[in-house]
Amino acid sequence: MCESFRAARSACWEQGAAAAAGGGGGRSREEPGAAAETLGNSIRSASQASLHHPPAQPRARRAPGGFCLEFSHFTAAQVSCARSGQQKAYRMWCQRLAWLLRGSSGRRWPRSVAALARGHHTAPRSLRCAWQLHGDHLELTYGNTLMRLDFVWLRDHCRSASCYNAKTNQRSLDTASVDLAIRPQAVRVDESTLFLTWPDGHVTRYGLEWLVKNSYEGQKKQVMHPRILWNAEIYRQAQVPSVDCRSFLETDEGLKEFLQNFLLYGIAFVENVAPTKEDTEILAERISIIRETIYGRMWYFTSDFSRGDTAYTKLALDRHTDTTYFQEPCGIQVFHCLKHEGTGGRTLLVDGFHAAEQVLRRAPEHFELLSRVPLKHEYVENVGGCHNHMIGVGPVLNVYPWNNELYLIRYNNYDRAVINTVPHDVVRRWYHAHRALTTELRRPENELWVKLKPGKALFVDNWRVLHGREAFTGYRQLCGCYLTRDDVLNTARLLGLQA
């Protein structure tokens, strides 16, 4: 594009932006008309030189609602005519464009030129960006993302030194002090930054990339927790390695490899662990604070029925998640088999998110119902000196509402309480939805069976992966604990992982 044309375009943008910033909703025709006339004159004076030096491929992009400045088409027509030698057609085109831009009184403004007076803008030299002011929000397009940013939100999230403490990463601005009818007095966008001037003169700056990442529209496109959904065959083919205990405890590389496996698959193994409760505790504390529950801090697990739970027997256990009767189920569970003198006792693992994904694909109405209907889960214990009555409430499937991403499955047929939170016209549909999920969870191809042995510790994401057990004979002793999910994810983020 020739320099004079670029200058004319910039002049048009600057005058249009000044009109939008200074006059609110009512602007005279003379303001955009002057810019249009300047542009038309510059186009005519540059036409012959431009024919001999055709500009690059046009880069202007159409703004929301079909808005696009007319001169963004100029370069394409110019290149086409220059290449074909049809200078007459090109001059006629220029005359038509000049007429469109003249802005004489009594003529109706073309939609794209009048848009300047109504608050439509594209950012100079940032052809991926366009914006428009509305009554209570700014509509901003950057790249492939159309964002609608509320004015109060834009003021509240200001990252200036007076509004945000960069050392503590905490907000300093009192949100309650922001006028709920606030509106910027001026808006400007360059190729990487949005600038807003507020009625009190305060200036807020936002990086466009930051806005894409943190806007609602940007978050809808993002996955909070990247995962690999699996059945038994997928997991075996992935050949996910176990991490050596020494590497896990002594190096960040070993810890990071372990956490990456855990975040992606919901299970991870550590090998060569000394088969004691004390060494298992050291292992667990490497990634998290141990969560003390009604079962204690570290627990031994045998078939002596010392607790009022089916797990403390030799019976088979169907697939389930633990502590569904907590208001917030425990995030991670650690298992370490210390001794087994007998047969059976293999551990069953099922990716609950993979099963839920199959339900969503085959019967989305079932998935929606399981994510909407709250249920009670209950644990009542009166054995020896243990007396507990725990109740947790929540749907079977828990999703983030903005992107429908599944983050927790609460599935335990042993501990599900009386269904009294569902009206009669929903109960039968819920049972159909529950049956569909159970069918997926019980498909043999979804069952991963592993034999736990002394020295091999298993970490399970209790919000995602269901576990069970086949019946066994002889003496079998496990130890383990629950970990706080927040601390595990915190450790992962500090190592640079998305969690």
Side-chain angles (χ1 to χ4, degrees):
M1 182 182 295
C2 64
E3 290 302 320
S4 56
F5 181 78
R6 185 182 293 113
R9 184 184 66 175
S10 299
C12 183
W13 264 321
E14 290 169 3
Q15 287 199 356
R27 296 167 178 81
S28 67
R29 293 186 178 185
E30 284 72 22
E31 290 173 304
E37 193 66 34
T38 300
L39 177 61
N41 293 335
S42 298
I43 289 173
R44 287 190 290 273
S45 65
S47 61
Q48 294 303 319
S50 300
L51 280 171
H52 295 292
H53 302 282
Q57 187 69 16
R59 295 176 297 164
R61 302 185 71 159
R62 188 169 296 275
F67 163 68
C68 185
L69 291 175
E70 291 285 346
F71 60 75
S72 64
H73 298 291
F74 173 79
T75 55
Q78 184 181 16
V79 170
S80 175
C81 294
R83 288 175 177 172
S84 65
Q86 297 176 357
Q87 294 190 17
K88 182 178 179 181
Y90 168 69
R91 286 193 296 272
M92 291 176 62
W93 188 91
C94 285
Q95 290 170 0
R96 176 178 177 271
L97 178 61
W99 180 87
L100 285 171
L101 296 175
R102 237 190 313 269
S104 303
S105 61
R107 289 193 176 95
R108 182 179 179 182
W109 285 93
R111 177 168 61 101
S112 55
V113 177
L116 288 171
R118 292 197 303 268
H120 293 270
H121 299 270
T122 54
R125 298 178 301 282
S126 179
L127 298 177
R128 292 194 302 157
C129 179
W131 57 272
Q132 179 182 358
L133 287 174
H134 292 273
D136 60 358
H137 70 280
L138 171 69
E139 189 174 278
L140 175 68
T141 299
Y142 183 67
N144 296 320
T145 304
L146 169 61
M147 298 167 278
R148 294 178 176 87
L149 306 169
D150 186 275
F151 293 144
V152 178
W153 185 96
L154 286 167
R155 184 64 188 89
D156 179 48
H157 288 81
C158 179
R159 263 30 184 181
S160 68
S162 62
C163 298
Y164 189 79
N165 189 325
K167 292 183 178 179
T168 65
N169 294 297
Q170 292 177 303
R171 179 181 286 102
S172 302
L173 174 69
D174 178 15
T175 303
S177 69
V178 178
D179 181 1
L180 295 180
I182 196 168
R183 180 182 175 88
Q185 283 192 334
V187 177
R188 181 170 64 87
V189 180
D190 66 17
E191 54 188 31
S192 64
T193 309
L194 167 67
F195 300 85
L196 303 114
T197 302
W198 302 104
D200 61 357
H202 184 82
V203 177
T204 295
R205 298 170 179 84
Y206 288 110
L208 299 179
E209 294 289 349
W210 187 93
L211 287 171
V212 168
K213 180 180 178 181
N214 290 283
S215 66
Y216 172 76
E217 292 81 5
Q219 281 291 308
K220 283 181 67 175
K221 298 179 181 180
Q222 297 180 36
V223 175
M224 287 283 291
H225 308 288
R227 300 182 176 95
I228 297 175
L229 306 184
W230 52 268
N231 57 23
E233 184 61 23
I234 291 172
Y235 187 81
R236 291 192 186 99
Q237 288 185 357
Q239 297 182 331
V240 183
S242 299
V243 175
D244 180 75
C245 179
R246 185 172 180 179
S247 176
F248 176 87
L249 290 175
E250 298 179 3
T251 72
D252 285 347
E253 291 76 14
L255 179 60
K256 187 173 182 178
E257 180 184 7
F258 168 86
L259 287 170
Q260 183 69 82
N261 294 338
F262 180 81
L263 293 172
L264 289 177
Y265 295 96
I267 56 175
F269 296 89
V270 179
E271 299 269 16
N272 303 316
V273 184
T276 68
K277 183 180 79 169
E278 291 73 22
D279 286 281
T280 307
E281 183 176 359
I282 293 172
L283 197 74
E285 288 179 325
R286 172 72 164 127
I287 62 171
S288 171
I289 296 172
I290 294 174
R291 179 175 176 178
E292 188 163 357
T293 68
I294 58 175
Y295 302 105
R297 191 168 183 274
M298 295 290 298
W299 38 258
Y300 277 114
F301 196 90
T302 64
S303 55
D304 59 0
F305 203 67
S306 60
R307 302 299 299 263
D309 194 297
T310 311
Y312 289 79
T313 70
K314 296 181 179 180
L315 301 175
L317 289 174
D318 194 17
R319 62 225 71 202
H320 64 281
T321 58
D322 273 16
T323 60
T324 53
Y325 39 79
F326 287 3
Q327 282 295 90
E328 181 184 299
C330 293
I332 288 88
Q333 187 166 16
V334 182
F335 293 103
H336 186 194
C337 181
L338 305 180
K339 182 184 293 186
H340 185 198
E341 300 169 347
T343 61
R346 289 183 304 161
T347 296
L348 168 64
L349 300 168
V350 178
D351 186 354
F353 286 6
H354 172 75
E357 179 71 19
Q358 300 307 306
V359 174
L360 177 62
R361 184 173 60 85
R362 295 171 180 171
E365 70 280 4
H366 290 337
F367 183 97
E368 192 274 336
L369 196 64
L370 291 172
S371 66
R372 184 170 55 85
V373 175
L375 299 173
K376 293 179 183 177
H377 289 76
E378 188 173 29
Y379 179 72
V380 180
E381 179 183 32
N382 289 291
V383 176
C386 299
H387 305 282
N388 293 289
H389 188 178
M390 310 290 292
I391 297 177
V393 181
V396 175
L397 303 178
N398 297 258
V399 301
Y400 295 125
W402 61 87
N403 65 357
N404 208 37
E405 179 183 345
L406 180 63
Y407 69 87
L408 183 154
I409 179 170
R410 189 190 295 250
Y411 184 99
N412 191 318
N413 207 51
Y414 297 104
D415 296 325
R416 181 165 45 78
V418 175
I419 299 178
N420 54 19
T421 56
V422 184
H424 79 279
D425 58 334
V426 178
V427 169
R428 184 64 61 87
R429 290 195 291 119
W430 183 89
Y431 276 113
H432 279 284
H434 183 268
R435 182 68 53 84
L437 178 60
T438 301
T439 299
E440 294 298 333
L441 292 170
R442 290 181 177 175
R443 290 188 188 278
E445 60 266 30
N446 291 335
E447 299 177 343
L448 178 67
W449 291 93
V450 297
K451 179 70 174 178
L452 299 182
K453 58 183 181 180
K456 186 174 185 177
L458 167 64
F459 290 69
V460 178
D461 184 344
N462 188 57
W463 283 20
R464 170 182 174 181
V465 175
L466 287 71
H467 65 278
R469 178 191 71 201
E470 68 177 352
F472 64 92
T473 65
Y475 180 77
R476 182 175 183 261
Q477 184 185 55
L478 276 76
C479 76
C481 60
Y482 294 115
L483 304 181
T484 60
R485 185 178 187 83
D486 288 338
D487 287 298
V488 173
L489 299 183
N490 175 55
T491 301
R493 294 186 192 107
L494 291 176
L495 290 171
L497 299 173
Q498 184 177 347

